[in-house]
Amino acid sequence: MIFQLVGIVVVLLAVITWLLTAPLSPTELTTLAPAALWTHTVEHLQLTLLSAVIVLLVAIPLGIALTRPRLRFLTGPVLAVANIGQAAPSIGLVVLFAFWLGFGFRAALLALVLYGVLPVLRNTMVGLQQVDQRLVEAGRGMGMSAAAVLFKVELPMAVPVMLAGIRTALVLLVGTAALAAFVNGGGLGLLITTGVQLNLPAVLVAGAVLVALLALFIDWAGRVVEHLARPKGL
């Protein structure tokens, strides 16, 4: 994991050095000013992290509920709805929500939530379904309630699979958040759209590289959390 972090830092330093030494036009200097880059990065992180929190609050409880015997019949319809976010083009979702809710942060946020639900939902269900039923029966035989078995047996055993889904969703959200610029949602995608519209290669490259580096950093952070949160012995 350390090599991935070192690689991210090296590439970031190389980009910074290039921006400081490249012959940039006045428009490029203004667009790539440190204050502007910081503002776009914070907006990008806000979009990503807030949508991720909403996804977790929705997908994990829903995934748990769908693995309970009484609600398993809803699995097909719910997964079909959740699959819309992955099946539909991400730019299409962003634009549709923008026309429905108005251009801005909220439309981009809801589009990202729909886009990121499926990996977390599916991995939560798969993780719980892979728990050895003999362990569940043993817990119930010891007098544990269904809730106690869920929180003390099933969820700890399912954590590795669930964390993999969460990390996947985070990386997807970082990349897709760049599309928020098309609906005035902010973020680093604004550098990409500005670079394309005004034919500014330096701005375009800087925006694309920064989004990629942010996605790689989130992936690295997810790996660290996944390693630390994994129950001992698994």
Side-chain angles (χ1 to χ4, degrees), residues 5 15 23 36 45 51 65 67 94-95 105 110 129 140 143 150 165 181 211 231:
L5 180 60
V15 171
L45 286 173
S51 60
T67 58
V94 173
V95 173
F105 184 89
L110 291 181
Q129 290 167 350
R140 296 304 299 269
L150 173 64
V211 171

Side-chain angles (χ1 to χ4, degrees), residues 1-13 213-224:
M1 290 188 291
I2 187 64
F3 295 106
Q4 182 174 344
L5 180 60
V6 171
I8 293 171
V9 173
V10 169
V11 174
L12 179 60
L13 292 176
L213 289 178
L214 189 58
L216 289 172
F217 177 76
I218 292 294
D219 178 68
W220 173 81
R223 288 177 183 271
V224 172

Side-chain angles (χ1 to χ4, degrees), residues 13-222:
L13 292 176
V15 171
I16 293 174
T17 302
W18 170 61
L19 292 177
L20 292 176
T21 58
L24 302 177
S25 66
T27 303
E28 290 173 328
L29 287 172
T30 301
T31 306
L32 296 174
L37 291 178
W38 177 252
T39 299
H40 297 322
T41 302
V42 170
E43 290 173 348
H44 205 98
L45 286 173
Q46 286 176 340
L47 266 174
T48 301
L49 297 180
L50 185 54
S51 60
V53 169
I54 297 174
V55 165
L56 296 183
L57 292 177
V58 172
I60 291 180
L62 185 58
I64 294 173
L66 293 177
T67 58
R68 304 304 95 182
R70 293 181 179 179
L71 296 177
R72 283 177 185 167
F73 72 95
L74 294 174
T75 299
V78 171
L79 286 179
V81 173
N83 193 52
I84 294 175
Q86 295 292 315
S90 51
I91 183 62
L93 285 177
V94 173
V95 173
L96 284 175
F97 275 105
F99 277 108
W100 178 34
L101 300 172
F103 284 65
F105 184 89
R106 185 173 61 169
L109 178 65
L110 291 181
L112 288 176
V113 169
L114 183 58
Y115 190 72
V117 162
L118 185 62
V120 180
L121 175 62
R122 188 180 294 278
N123 277 49
T124 299
M125 295 177 63
V126 170
L128 290 171
Q129 290 167 350
Q130 289 181 349
V131 174
D132 192 337
Q133 289 302 305
R134 291 174 296 181
L135 297 176
V136 176
E137 294 171 1
R140 296 304 299 269
M142 294 171 59
M144 298 173 64
S145 64
V149 171
L150 173 64
F151 287 103
K152 295 184 178 181
V153 179
E154 295 183 80
L155 284 177
M157 297 291 291
V159 160
V161 178
M162 293 171 63
L163 288 175
I166 294 171
R167 181 162 57 87
T168 300
L170 281 171
V171 175
L172 288 174
L173 291 174
V174 172
T176 309
L179 300 176
F182 289 98
V183 294
N184 296 327
L188 291 168
L190 184 61
L191 298 178
I192 299 175
T193 57
T194 301
V196 172
Q197 293 171 355
L198 301 181
N199 192 25
L200 302 174
V203 176
L204 174 60
V205 171
V209 172
L210 289 176
V211 171
L213 289 178
L214 189 58
L216 289 172
F217 177 76
I218 292 294
D219 178 68
W220 173 81

